């Protein structure tokens, strides 16, 4: 759960038949904000992986992106020099130049920080680029379509397959875009098959 009066938070789930928990979970505060990351050391068939999920500061403006960049730096300071890391989350950080609500344009700052500390995007590794969108929201005063969500990995974790985003024709069929009664979220699920450790050497990124 976030700090302060926020009611939302983050969670990690894993399959007990394949994955073992090692040690207690750690809640990591992020750069003096209410946001947190949840970190858990897991054993995938005996191979240690640091699994992390988080939800960074929202906002399509320079101030929000700078806050996210500080949150990313706080996370990266914990990761280095970690080997196998799997980081998942709604980072609220576009990977391409984005149009701010004040009419200006902002270049990405947060995602390059994660890449500089050795994390690779699983979707980019498989598809050759990030999805065109992971969120497509129809707000009362505007429409927002952007890539905000990521699965990032490092070390001996190899992404093999990913789930494609919904067809834009399906999204455009609703004047509300998302969320709707049929799909009650403005973010789409990211699903990635990964191979860990020595098994990863047998795999190469495959088709979507």
């Amino acid at each position: 759960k976030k700090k302060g009066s926020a009611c939302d938070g983050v969670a990690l789930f894993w399959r007990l038949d394949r994955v073992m928990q090692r040690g207690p979970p750690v809640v990591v505060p992020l750069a003096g904000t209410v946001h947190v990351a949840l970190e858990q050391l897991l054993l995938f068939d005996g191979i240690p992986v640091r699994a992390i999920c988080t939800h960074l500061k929202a906002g399509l403006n320079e101030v929000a992106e700078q806050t996210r960049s500080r949150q990313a730096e706080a996370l990266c300071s914990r990761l280095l020099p970690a080997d196998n890391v799997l980081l998942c989350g709604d980072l609220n950080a576009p990977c391409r130049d984005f149009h701010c609500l004040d009419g200006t344009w902002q270049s990405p700052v947060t995602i390059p920080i994660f890449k500089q500390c050795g994390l690779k995007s699983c979707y980019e590794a498989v598809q050759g680029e990030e999805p065109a969108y992971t969120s497509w929201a129809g707000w009362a005063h505007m429409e927002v379509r952007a890539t905000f969500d990521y699965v990032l990995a490092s070390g001996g974790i190899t992404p093999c397959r990913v789930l494609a985003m919904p067809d834009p024709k399906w999204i455009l069929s609703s004047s509300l875009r998302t969320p709707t009664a049929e799909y009650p979220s403005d973010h789409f699920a990211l699903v990635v098959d990964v191979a860990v450790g020595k098994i990863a050497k047998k795999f190469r990124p495959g088709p979507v």
Side-chain angles (χ1 to χ4, degrees), residues 18-102:
R18 289 292 304 278
V19 181
M20 291 181 57
Q21 179 180 3
R22 184 173 181 180
V26 178
V27 177
V28 182
L30 297 179
T33 65
V34 300
H35 302 82
V36 298
L38 181 62
E39 177 182 339
Q40 176 66 62
L41 182 61
L42 300 172
L43 297 179
F44 283 71
D45 295 332
I47 301 172
V49 171
R50 290 174 67 183
I52 301 170
C53 63
T54 191
H55 187 181
L56 302 188
K57 169 71 176 177
L60 291 174
N61 55 65
E62 182 180 2
V63 173
E65 181 70 353
Q66 291 301 325
T67 299
R68 289 189 291 266
S69 70
R70 293 192 297 271
Q71 294 173 330
E73 289 170 348
L75 265 178
C76 285
S77 68
R78 289 185 58 84
L79 299 181
L80 296 173
D83 185 13
N84 298 330
V85 173
L86 192 62
L87 190 156
C88 312
D90 174 5
L91 305 184
N92 275 311
C95 56
R96 305 172 179 91
D97 289 355
F98 60 94
H99 194 219
C100 298
L101 298 182
D102 62 4

Side-chain angles (χ1 to χ4, degrees), residues 92-121:
N92 275 311
C95 56
R96 305 172 179 91
D97 289 355
F98 60 94
H99 194 219
C100 298
L101 298 182
D102 62 4
T104 62
W105 285 86
Q106 169 73 40
S107 295
V109 179
T110 304
I111 297 305
I113 291 174
F114 284 117
K115 291 185 176 182
Q116 287 166 11
C117 78
L119 290 165
K120 60 178 177 287
S121 165

Side-chain angles (χ1 to χ4, degrees), residues 122-172:
C122 291
Y123 268 75
E124 185 178 25
V126 173
Q127 298 184 146
E129 61 180 356
E130 298 289 359
Y133 49 84
T134 63
S135 175
W136 196 332
W139 296 356
H141 62 293
M142 64 183 301
E143 186 173 310
V144 175
R145 183 184 72 167
T147 301
F148 292 139
D149 309 272
Y150 301 85
V151 178
L152 307 176
S154 69
I157 300 176
T158 301
C160 305
R161 294 182 298 176
V162 300
L163 179 68
M165 292 297 104
D167 191 310
K169 293 181 180 179
W170 175 80
I171 302 169
L172 291 169

